[in-house]
């Protein structure tokens, strides 16, 4: 196998025997086969759009199928065969409609006529496809590096687009671009700069996708407000919901109303508690249990109720809790029950409810503990005048955005130590699961402004961007001139898409870690360093000193 799409990749150079995430070579090969088939579907979908043929079902399917190939989403060979079969049906249908809609049917390239042979090994066919992709791109390692950057960025983009679709927010431009980017992966003539430009365009379109998802969440559930979230379980039957999908969380909350079951969030669903309409309508959404995704083996094993995982960040399951674990949407693992959507994208959660009622639940209340969430852009900008005045009076010296993906490597302790050493006259904004290394730290406040503000999920990088741009406008300076430093951790492909968005916006001086992407060649990283001063993290002391020394002068 060949896979280097995540930060955890073996020895920082790629997984070749077995995925560090737990993905088997067989699943990896069929994932590669599926992506190849979707690349061949893309030009047909674009032609169909040109002819005003309805492609919506194909658009949504393409995003979900790409989403399923992301790190720690789906480990099931059977599920990927099903995705491949659906892709074949969609392509055949679109081809037939294109044929009927024009007197001059196009001649498709070989990739768009490719048909997998289900009577032979799909794994071997996927391995051959992967080998061809490597050999075609291997003549120029820097272009291959950027091709992978585009592909992995599109995976993150497709996942956010799928989430936005679930909330009722869509943009035809996003779907069209995903196809255009997939088509470009088969282009052997683009120059190095053209690949750089395409990668930045992934970032531009991803900004739009995050904007759509933000609109979907805020119009449905209200703008997040500062909300204390219990970390202590309470007595009673329980269901734990992990992942990112607030729409699916709401579906479960609807179906568990009046059952006496308490619903807890896990991982990236912690920010869901900040949405006022969600909390008001479903009082049995009580608290948060556990921490980041890589600790779920311990968290899931101890949880005395049923568990639902809604998106990426699934760890390989264990026998001592897999019988109470369910998945929805693109998430899958061999033997794991996947609940199919039946009502507006929401599944019937009856098996989860029955399992929760059969399990003991929590037998007593735990000692009170809590954290506060809900510092998204609407909340922070609502006190922008206080923030601006505190900066002008030098009460706030600097802002640090410390967040991104968490992971199991010990060098991620850098982020904990960094936050611990942030001076008392500085504010830390945080988002995504990286915050679980310090999310319950008591950091006090500055003139009533909390020194630690949870902005939300990884897609709420959109909120952080809005905050940064608004502050820059208020001070009448560029966004790179405000006293803000971004210290980011990455793990999977959503983080790649977010990074490309930040670069598209021209944001400089980002520090990235804990290690640099294996798919970024030295020359490509040098190019990004020269243009954006993108740099690897070093030590907390050195990076803090560098961030705090050349402060922007704001009057």
């Amino acid at each position: 196998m060949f896979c280097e799409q995540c930060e955890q990749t073996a020895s920082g150079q790629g997984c070749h025997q077995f995925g560090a995430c737990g993905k088997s070579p067989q699943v990896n090969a069929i994932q590669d086969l599926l992506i190849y088939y979707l690349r061949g579907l893309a030009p047909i979908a674009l032609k169909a759009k040109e002819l005003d043929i309805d492609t919506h079902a194909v658009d949504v399917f393409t995003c979900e199928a790409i989403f399923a190939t992301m790190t720690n989403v789906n480990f099931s060979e059977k599920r990927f065969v099903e995705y491949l079969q659906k892709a074949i049906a969609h392509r055949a249908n679109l081809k037939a409609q294109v044929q009927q809609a024009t007197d001059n049917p196009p001649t498709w390239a070989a990739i768009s006529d490719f048909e997998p042979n289900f009577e032979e090994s799909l794994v071997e066919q996927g391995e051959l496809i992967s080998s061809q992709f490597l050999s075609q791109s291997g003549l120029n390692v820097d272009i291959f590096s950027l091709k992978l950057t585009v592909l992995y960025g599109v995976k993150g983009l497709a996942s956010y687009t799928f989430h936005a679709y679930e909330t009722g927010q869509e943009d035809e431009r996003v779907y069209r671009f995903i196809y255009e980017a997939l088509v470009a992966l088969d282009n052997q003539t683009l120059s190095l700069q053209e690949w750089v430009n395409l990668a930045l365009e992934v970032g531009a379109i991803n900004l739009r996708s995050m904007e759509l998802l933000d609109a979907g969440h805020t119009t449905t559930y209200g703008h997040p407000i500062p909300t204390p979230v219990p970390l202590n379980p309470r007595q009673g039957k329980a269901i734990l919901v992990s992942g990112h999908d607030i729409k699916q969380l709401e579906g479960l909350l609807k179906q568990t109303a009046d059952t006496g079951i308490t619903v807890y969030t896990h991982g990236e669903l912690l920010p869901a508690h900040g949405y006022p309409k969600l909390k008001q309508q479903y009082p049995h959404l009580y608290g948060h249990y556990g921490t980041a995704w890589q600790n779920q083996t311990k968290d899931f094993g101890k949880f005395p109720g049923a568990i639902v995982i809604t998106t990426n960040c699934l760890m390989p399951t264990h026998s001592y809790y897999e019988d109470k674990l369910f998945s929805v949407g693109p998430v899958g693992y061999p033997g794991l029950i996947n609940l199919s959507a039946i009502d507006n994208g929401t599944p019937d959660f009856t098996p989860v409810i029955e399992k929760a009622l059969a399990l003991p639940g929590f037998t007593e209340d735990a000692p009170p503990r809590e954290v506060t969430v809900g510092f998204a852009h609407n909340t922070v900008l609502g006190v922008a005048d206080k923030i601006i005045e505190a900066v002008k009076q030098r009460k706030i010296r600097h802002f640090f955005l410390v967040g991104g993906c968490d992971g199991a490597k010990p060098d991620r302790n850098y982020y904990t130590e960094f936050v611990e050493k942030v001076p008392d006259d500085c504010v830390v904004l945080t988002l995504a699961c990286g915050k679980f290394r310090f999310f319950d730290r008591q950091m006090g406040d500055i003139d009533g402004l909390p020194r630690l503000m949870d902005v939300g999920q990884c897609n709420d990088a959109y909120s952080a961007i809005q905050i940064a741009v608004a502050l820059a406008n208020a001070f009448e300076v560029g966004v790179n001139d405000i006293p803000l430093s971004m210290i980011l951790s990455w793990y999977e492909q959503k983080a790649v898409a977010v990074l490309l968005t930040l670069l598209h916006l021209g944001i400089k001086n980002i520090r990235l870690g804990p290690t640099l992407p294996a798919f970024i060649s030295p020359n490509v990283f040098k190019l990004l360093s020269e243009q954006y001063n993108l740099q690897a993290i070093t030590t907390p002391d050195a990076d803090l000193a560098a961030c705090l020394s050349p402060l922007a002068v704001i009057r």
Side-chain angles (χ1 to χ4, degrees):
M1 66 182 288
F2 170 78
C3 184
E4 54 180 14
Q5 67 179 8
C6 82
E7 192 274 336
Q8 195 170 271
T9 185
S11 303
Q13 297 179 348
C15 295
H16 304 289
Q17 302 297 323
F18 206 92
C21 65
K23 179 175 61 175
S24 71
Q26 292 77 19
V27 167
N28 184 75
I30 300 180
Q31 285 184 354
D32 288 345
L33 189 62
L34 175 61
I35 290 294
Y36 183 78
Y37 202 89
L38 294 174
R39 286 166 52 198
L41 172 63
I44 301 168
L46 288 173
K47 185 63 178 179
K49 289 179 181 294
E50 181 186 318
L51 296 170
D52 292 325
I53 296 170
D54 182 9
T55 64
H56 184 255
V58 184
D59 300 340
V60 174
F61 165 78
T62 298
C63 289
E64 181 182 347
I66 293 174
F67 189 179
T69 70
M70 280 180 46
T71 305
N72 288 89
V73 176
N74 199 317
F75 299 81
S76 170
E77 188 174 334
K78 177 177 179 290
R79 289 283 304 280
F80 281 109
V81 171
E82 292 171 354
Y83 275 121
L84 187 58
Q85 290 168 333
K86 289 179 182 178
I88 291 169
H90 278 305
R91 195 186 76 176
N93 184 41
L94 275 190
K95 271 190 172 183
Q97 291 187 70
V98 169
Q99 182 87 12
Q100 293 173 358
T102 177
D103 295 329
N104 186 23
T107 300
W108 304 112
I111 191 173
S112 295
D113 282 331
F114 168 77
E115 294 288 355
N117 187 342
F118 283 87
E119 295 183 359
E120 297 183 2
S121 170
L122 293 176
V123 172
E124 291 180 2
Q125 293 171 66
E127 290 172 343
L128 179 61
I129 291 296
S130 178
S131 177
Q132 290 173 346
F133 184 57
L134 289 168
S135 62
Q136 289 172 357
S137 306
L139 296 178
N140 187 317
V141 68
D142 299 321
I143 285 180
F144 183 50
S145 170
L146 287 164
K147 274 191 175 186
L148 292 178
T149 303
V150 168
L151 173 59
Y152 301 153
V154 165
K155 288 190 177 191
L157 166 61
S159 70
Y160 287 142
T161 304
F162 182 72
H163 285 318
Y165 152 75
E166 286 187 311
T167 67
Q169 298 289 323
E170 299 177 88
D171 187 335
E172 170 63 22
R173 292 176 299 164
V174 177
Y175 290 131
R176 183 179 294 273
F177 175 78
I178 289 173
Y179 291 130
E180 291 171 348
L182 290 175
V183 169
L185 293 173
D186 205 39
N187 192 324
Q188 306 301 322
T189 65
L190 296 183
S191 67
L192 183 70
Q193 188 57 52
E194 287 173 321
W195 279 108
V196 171
N197 295 342
L198 182 58
L200 294 176
E201 193 173 357
V202 173
I205 300 299
N206 187 62
L207 178 63
R208 174 58 179 154
S209 189
M210 290 193 296
E211 179 186 33
L212 290 169
L213 183 52
D214 179 79
H217 285 159
T218 56
T219 57
T220 306
Y221 310 117
H223 283 281
I225 59 175
T227 305
V229 183
L231 299 178
N232 53 295
R234 67 184 184 189
Q235 183 179 5
K237 304 292 185 177
I239 294 176
L240 185 65
V241 188
S242 189
H244 303 73
D245 202 317
I246 297 176
K247 172 76 172 182
Q248 299 294 4
L249 171 62
E250 183 193 19
L252 176 70
L253 289 168
K254 284 182 179 178
Q255 295 179 37
T256 51
D258 302 321
T259 62
I261 296 173
T262 297
V263 176
Y264 299 81
T265 56
H266 180 270
E268 285 256 47
L269 275 174
L270 169 62
H273 294 271
Y275 290 95
K277 293 181 182 178
L278 195 67
K279 289 287 286 185
Q280 291 164 8
Q281 191 167 356
Y282 305 107
H284 60 301
L285 174 60
Y286 164 69
H288 187 80
Y289 183 90
T291 54
W293 67 272
Q294 78 275 1
N295 298 321
Q296 67 186 237
T297 299
K298 176 182 68 176
D299 294 341
F300 290 1
K302 290 182 178 179
F303 190 76
I307 305 164
V308 179
I309 186 156
T310 65
T311 57
N312 53 314
C313 304
L314 172 67
M315 293 281 286
T317 64
H318 291 272
S319 58
Y320 54 88
Y321 64 79
E322 62 186 10
D323 66 327
K324 61 182 180 182
L325 180 62
F326 302 82
S327 72
V328 299
V331 186
Y333 197 82
L336 190 64
I337 297 176
N338 181 261
L339 303 173
S340 300
I342 59 169
D343 178 23
N344 193 27
T346 300
D348 179 0
F349 285 106
T350 298
V352 181
I353 295 169
E354 291 175 345
K355 176 61 71 172
L357 292 173
L359 291 169
F362 290 100
T363 57
E364 60 182 5
D365 294 345
R369 291 176 58 226
E370 67 179 28
V371 294
T372 300
V373 301
F375 294 97
H377 58 91
N378 196 62
T379 293
V380 176
L381 297 181
V383 293
D385 55 340
K386 291 182 64 176
I387 294 173
I388 292 166
E389 189 62 26
V391 172
K392 288 183 176 180
Q393 293 182 10
R394 299 296 190 259
K395 291 181 179 179
I396 296 180
R397 178 162 46 137
H398 206 80
F399 295 89
F400 292 95
L401 176 61
V402 186
C405 308
D406 203 359
K409 289 185 177 179
D411 48 5
R412 288 180 179 270
N413 290 331
Y414 163 96
Y415 297 94
T416 309
E417 185 179 347
F418 187 97
V419 170
E420 289 173 346
K421 292 184 175 182
V422 167
D424 290 344
D425 58 356
C426 299
V427 172
V428 175
L429 305 173
T430 189
L431 51 79
C433 60
K435 64 172 164 273
F436 286 112
R437 296 202 169 249
F438 48 81
F439 79 125
D440 56 353
R441 181 176 174 79
Q442 302 301 311
M443 295 182 64
D445 65 87
I446 299 175
D447 280 359
L449 298 169
R451 289 191 54 238
L452 179 62
M453 299 185 189
D454 185 346
V455 178
Q457 297 180 330
C458 57
N459 49 281
D460 289 314
Y462 177 79
S463 266
I465 291 167
Q466 299 308 304
I467 293 168
V469 170
L471 290 176
N473 291 338
F475 288 118
E476 299 182 347
V477 298
V479 71
N480 290 309
D481 298 317
I482 61 175
L484 169 68
S485 297
M486 294 191 178
I487 317 295
L488 304 183
S489 55
W490 81 284
Y491 178 78
E492 37 82 314
Q493 295 76 64
K494 287 179 177 176
V496 175
V498 170
L499 178 61
L500 292 176
T501 295
L502 296 174
L503 297 181
H504 153 72
L505 292 170
I507 295 176
K508 297 182 178 181
N509 306 312
I510 297 169
R511 286 172 165 78
L512 183 66
T515 59
L516 295 176
F519 55 84
I520 296 291
S521 69
N523 285 336
V524 170
F525 185 73
K526 179 182 178 184
L527 176 66
L528 296 177
S529 297
E530 291 172 350
Q531 292 187 5
Y532 301 99
N533 198 28
L534 179 67
Q535 51 198 293
I537 60 171
T538 58
T539 67
D541 289 323
D543 289 344
L544 267 171
C547 292
L548 292 173
S549 57
L551 292 181
V553 178
I554 296 178
R555 297 182 175 86

